[in-house]
Every structure is written in C-alpha cells, then in structure tokens.
Amino acid sequence: MTVHSLETLTFDNSYARLPEVFYAKVSPTPFSAAPFLISANRAAMELLDLDPAEAARPEFAGVFGGSLLIPGMEPLAMLYSGHQFGVYVPQLGDGRAILLGEVTNGRGERWDLHLKGAGMTPFSRDGDGRSVLRSAIREYLCCEAMHGLGIPTTRALCLVGSDDKVYREQIETGATIVRMAPSHVRFGTFEIFYYRKQHEHLQRLADYTIEMHFPELAQAVDKYTRFFAEVVQRTAKLIAHWQAVGWSHGVLNTDNMSILGLTLDYGPYGFMDDYDPGFICNHSDYNGRYAFNQQPYIGLWNLSCLAQTLLPFAPKEELKAALDGYQTSVDRHYHNHMRAKLGLVEDRAEDEALLQELKSLMVGSRVDYTIFWRELSMFSSDAGAKNERLREHFLNPERFDTWAVQYRERLQSEQSRDEERRIRMDRVNPKYVLRNYLAQGAIEKAQQKDYSEVERLLALLQQPYTEQPGMNSYAAAPPNWGKHLSVSCSS
C-alpha cells in the first residue's frame, strides 16, 4: 500500500463535477493568527493512506486550519435545506463548513474531507462561519468514541486551533475540525430541490447518490424505491444502536440526517448517566422533541420527509411499504443489541418482559446506565449468590433480587457459563463512554493550552470495551456537577 504525503493524496472530486446549483465554490477563510495542530488522529490518517509523519509538518496545520490548499482540492460549500425542530427552513447549506475534496485510498474507498469552522460561505446567513474550540473538541472526540463503539459515524481526522477570538455566549478561541465520511449528502440535500420544484436537479442528485454509494442499485428499474428502502434500513439500524448504548443526538433535524445512515453533526449530544428514557441532552429543546426515547419516532418522521422528495420518481405505495418496515427493523436491531447486553444467546419471546422489568428497576433507582450494564457481566448464576455489587445500584434491592432469580433461571435454561458469558458481555457493554463531564475536563484544559486530556480521551475511547490499566477513574460515575452540565445547539 502506497503511503502518501499531503501533496500526493489522490483526489477525485465527484461532487464538484455536479452542476453548481448543488453548491457554491468558496475557499476557506484563513485565521488571522497562525493555526496550530492540537491533535491528529492516526486511525483516520490511515484511512487516507496518509503518512502519520505528515502531522508534524507546519503545512498540515495550514491545510486543515484553512490557510493552505493542496493540489487536487476543489473547495465548495454544499447546499441543502431541512426541517429544523419540525419546521421547514427553505435554505440552509454549509454555513461554517467547506468540502475540501474527496480522497480515494488504495482500497478504492472515498473519503470527503469536510473542514468545519472554515469561515463564512454564501450559506452562513448571520453566522461567522467559525467553530469554537469547545465544540470542535466535542465533535472530534465523539466521532471516534462512536466509531470505537461500532456505531456508524463520520470520522475525525484532526483538530486545529487558533488564537483568533470567536464570539458566542462569551468570547472563545476558534478551531477547525476535519470530519470524514464517504459522503456528506443529507436528507435535506434532497428536500431543497423537491420544495423548489426543481425535479431535474433532484433526479440528478438521486442518480449521483445511487451511482456513487449504492452502485448495486444503479441498473434496477425500481432503483429509487430500493435506494429509499436501503436508507430506511440503515437509519433504523443506526438509531437502534444509539438506543442500546444510551446516546442521544440532541438535534435530529433532517439536515443532520446522513443519507448513508451515519451519525452526523455532533452538537448537544449526550451519553446518559442515570437511566432516564425521557433524557433531553439539549437545553434548547424546550419541548423535548429530540428526547432520548423519541429518537426512533423522529427517525421515522425524518424518513417520511425524505420519502416525499422521491415521489416524482417512485410510486407512493412502494415508498410507503419501505417506510412501514422501519419500526420492525428498529425493534429487531434493538432487541438483538439488548439480548447481547444481557448475555443471552438464544432469542426467546419472554426476554422482552425480562428486559422491561430491568429497565423499570433502573428508572426507579436512577441507575447509571453504562456502569450497570458493564457490571452485569459479573452476575453470578450460582444458586444462592447474592450479587451484592449489583444490588447496591437499587433503592429497592429486594425487587432486584426477584428479577435476579428470573435472570438466573433464564441463563441456566440455555446452559450459560458465567465466564464465557462475561467475555461476551464485555464485548458489547462498554466500560468507557464520552460523558459530558469528561469532555468538559478536556475542554477546560485545552482552553489553558494543555491538550493532553484530548489525546488521552482519544486513545481511551477508541477501545471502549477493553480494560485499560490506570484508567478506572474514567469509568466512574460522574460527580454531581458533571450530571448537570448544560449543552445547547452552540455546543
């Protein structure tokens, strides 16, 4: 495999070859102060066949801090619209991000290099086009945390800082992050051309997306229906996985929904601490539209918006049939995740009642979601075992004891062996997740020019299921202040 320098990366900018109605050509706006590298993600560099040594070059921070372009880049801001909190907004677009180009690696994989915080574009509206260090760190770390958990997501190549001042609720310093994905096409990319009644552009977009990312469908007579059905299934699988790990997106607008079923646009996200089905991670979400337990429904609502854009090319009844399969798919994937989290091998109908009773217990006792599932692997199925460590999580331990009897019987009925089950469960129940207070600790250090915690968390979260020596404090329950951090759409 050829290892590349910045200058020899192989670009093939397919989106830039579309008509300019799909985007605006615009270059990044350099910071007035020299950009500097905060962190480079070696795992993401490997996806580009980019030599890790390149990160040490000043040109690396220059390119990904927005002050330099390299051969092959054709920067542009993508156009889209979307439903935001249920209300259609006619034009959005990349207001603070620029697609630098598309890199093809030696395996034939395509990776968008999307520079977030790159300055103003024609779609910035009243914004300044910048990202603040705080929000860039949160996205940088969570992209890799989600990938470590096995959840489809954009990836994070690097984090670049600057001493430039950016104004939000207060004065902060600016930063850029390069996020990577095979495509940054969104549900909202389709919506804008549908609502403008520009069906020829809409069909061009659909054909492009299918050709580039669903090539197996390109020659099918019913390719638009089958394309939509695939997006439905990918979205269902994605959201089921979010529910299983206790993660909330916070702003599931249609412009934040990836056509490839990736987790896209990390703003006011949150991993639950205490188990709360109604968890709202975004304090700007006053009505709880995007609460944790609403995410599966919102996925369906957003998919129905996408289905509407395909009506000019696909029969309504076929699109509806694909949409009707969504909830069944969410339920199936979620059930499979939760069965694995319980350490069960066989699929039985009665397991749903076992799970629901456990979740009811967890809600009533405000049990820490991540810690409990990880510790459940230590459950002893021996007759008479008290499982004291698990009992301590509950305000009513006697009710847990009743559940534990049922769980023990269920494990014994499939001849489960504790040690083998423990290994299986530890592969699906993470020890480390990116809790808000951990991200906040890294942010506060970074604001003092100490980036060590960013690097530490990056390495930790890339292996969330593995016991890591000396890192137990990162798996502990948050301090009280850490449970009440406020995040919003500016996060």
Side-chain angles (χ1 to χ4, degrees), residues 44-149:
M45 293 178 74
E46 290 175 354
L47 295 174
L48 304 177
D49 301 334
L50 183 57
D51 186 346
E54 291 291 284
R57 297 174 57 193
E59 290 85 357
F60 190 90
V63 170
F64 299 124
S67 59
L68 293 174
L69 295 177
I70 55 177
M73 286 183 171
E74 297 180 72
L76 57 88
M78 301 172 74
L79 173 66
Y80 50 85
S81 62
H83 282 83
Q84 298 197 321
F85 288 88
V87 178
Y88 184 67
V89 180
Q91 180 171 300
L92 296 166
D94 285 338
R96 58 173 174 165
I98 290 175
L99 176 60
L100 297 174
E102 304 164 44
V103 172
T104 303
N105 66 20
R107 296 172 294 283
E109 299 166 340
R110 307 178 67 89
W111 290 99
D112 282 3
L113 299 185
H114 211 235
L115 181 63
K116 192 169 182 179
M120 293 183 66
T121 78
F123 311 128
S124 295
R125 294 180 289 175
D126 296 326
D128 59 16
R130 294 300 188 192
S131 293
V132 295
L133 178 62
R134 163 177 52 92
S135 63
I137 287 174
R138 284 175 54 82
E139 180 155 5
Y140 182 69
L141 291 176
C142 204
C143 284
E144 295 308 295
M146 295 293 269
H147 177 71
L149 291 166

Side-chain angles (χ1 to χ4, degrees), residues 193 322 340 346 349 360 419:
F193 299 112
E346 300 173 4
S360 176
E419 190 55 40

Side-chain angles (χ1 to χ4, degrees), residues 273-452:
D273 295 316
D274 299 342
Y275 179 58
D276 174 13
F279 171 58
I280 301 171
C281 66
N282 178 2
H283 80 70
S284 303
D285 186 7
Y286 307 112
N287 297 316
R289 176 180 175 84
Y290 298 138
F292 173 74
N293 59 4
Q294 293 300 305
Q295 291 185 137
Y297 164 73
I298 293 298
L300 177 63
W301 196 93
N302 290 342
L303 283 164
S304 70
C305 292
L306 178 63
Q308 187 169 358
T309 71
L310 297 175
L311 286 173
F313 324 119
K316 181 178 180 180
E317 61 275 11
E318 293 182 9
L319 294 171
K320 185 178 183 301
L323 201 59
D324 287 345
Y326 169 80
Q327 191 60 55
T328 300
S329 185
V330 170
D331 292 343
R332 182 180 73 255
H333 287 296
Y334 179 73
H335 176 76
N336 289 341
H337 282 302
M338 300 314 288
R339 185 178 73 248
K341 288 173 78 69
L342 284 165
L344 303 175
V345 175
E346 300 173 4
D347 187 6
R348 300 183 187 177
E350 63 266 25
D351 294 342
E352 183 62 24
L354 187 71
L355 175 61
Q356 291 304 323
E357 173 62 11
L358 176 59
K359 289 163 70 175
S360 176
L361 280 166
M362 293 172 70
V363 169
S365 297
R366 307 289 294 181
V367 171
D368 187 285
Y369 189 80
T370 301
I371 291 175
F372 177 78
W373 281 109
R374 182 71 175 192
E375 291 187 354
L376 186 61
S377 70
M378 302 300 292
F379 181 88
S380 173
S381 62
D382 292 343
K386 293 294 185 182
N387 289 294
E388 292 290 351
R389 185 169 178 176
L390 293 169
R391 291 180 91 245
E392 291 172 358
H393 288 282
F394 298 93
L395 297 176
N396 185 345
E398 290 76 19
R399 187 177 166 193
F400 170 76
D401 292 341
T402 301
W403 180 86
V405 170
Q406 299 170 349
Y407 183 45
R408 179 180 294 112
E409 290 174 351
R410 174 66 181 84
L411 292 172
Q412 292 173 343
S413 72
E414 63 178 35
Q415 299 180 322
S416 178
R417 299 189 179 195
D418 284 356
E419 190 55 40
E420 293 174 356
R421 173 180 54 81
R422 185 172 301 128
I423 292 170
R424 289 198 310 273
M425 291 176 72
D426 284 350
R427 289 174 181 158
V428 296
N429 291 312
K431 181 165 184 176
Y432 313 101
V433 296
L434 184 59
R435 298 177 188 266
N436 273 335
Y437 90 98
L438 294 176
Q440 185 62 28
I443 289 166
E444 290 177 1
K445 285 189 174 183
Q447 288 170 337
Q448 303 301 315
K449 302 281 191 180
D450 178 356
Y451 307 114
S452 60

